[in-house]
Amino acid sequence: MSTDVSESTDATGLETVLVGVGGRDDDRVDTLVDAVRDVAAPSDATVVIAHVFDTDSYRDAVERLLDTEGGEIGPDELAARMSVTREISDRLEADSIDCVPRATTGTSGNGIVSLAEDVDADLVIVGGRQRSPTGKAIFGSTAQEVMLNAPCPVTFVRDRG
């Protein structure tokens, strides 16, 4: 059963929508963009694209960029350069939705919750994949962590597949 996000979320009064992304979300861009657009556009909310790196992936990404460019790069700048962040940002900004990349390191769930607190998010959107009938009893660990600990309402967006 699929519910349109705009029907299940009251967009009135939203100022900041945080969408959590990571390295495995390249296949979810369409679904995430549609969900974010449905709630952010009507309220003219700013969208924070929160990219959470584990320690190893952060170090690897920094090393790759510094090898080609030299200099230093901060976490938010690194997040802005990640393909999934760029894709979401480009598509939302084409619809005149303001986007801000943010990043942190750690576990995905804790990182998203921490960034949601930092930016005083009014809504968090996270994506996930379709699960088997048995797996439907629980969400993925990241989504579950965010839903249980976020400082605001959370919308879970399931892959369309």
Side-chain angles (χ1 to χ4, degrees), residues 11 86 122 150:
R86 282 194 328 265
D122 299 303

Side-chain angles (χ1 to χ4, degrees), residues 29-47 49 86-99:
V29 169
D30 290 339
T31 305
L32 289 169
V33 166
D34 289 347
V36 171
R37 185 183 292 129
D38 286 349
V39 296
S43 61
D44 199 29
T46 297
V47 175
I49 304 171
R86 282 194 328 265
E87 177 78 14
I88 292 171
S89 181
D90 289 348
R91 290 176 60 185
L92 292 173
E93 287 176 348
D95 291 331
S96 300
I97 298 171
D98 292 330
C99 297

Side-chain angles (χ1 to χ4, degrees), residues 102-116:
R102 290 289 306 268
T104 191
T105 57
T107 63
S108 296
N110 286 333
I112 292 168
V113 169
S114 176
L115 286 172

Side-chain angles (χ1 to χ4, degrees), residues 5 21 26:
V5 174
V21 300
D26 286 325

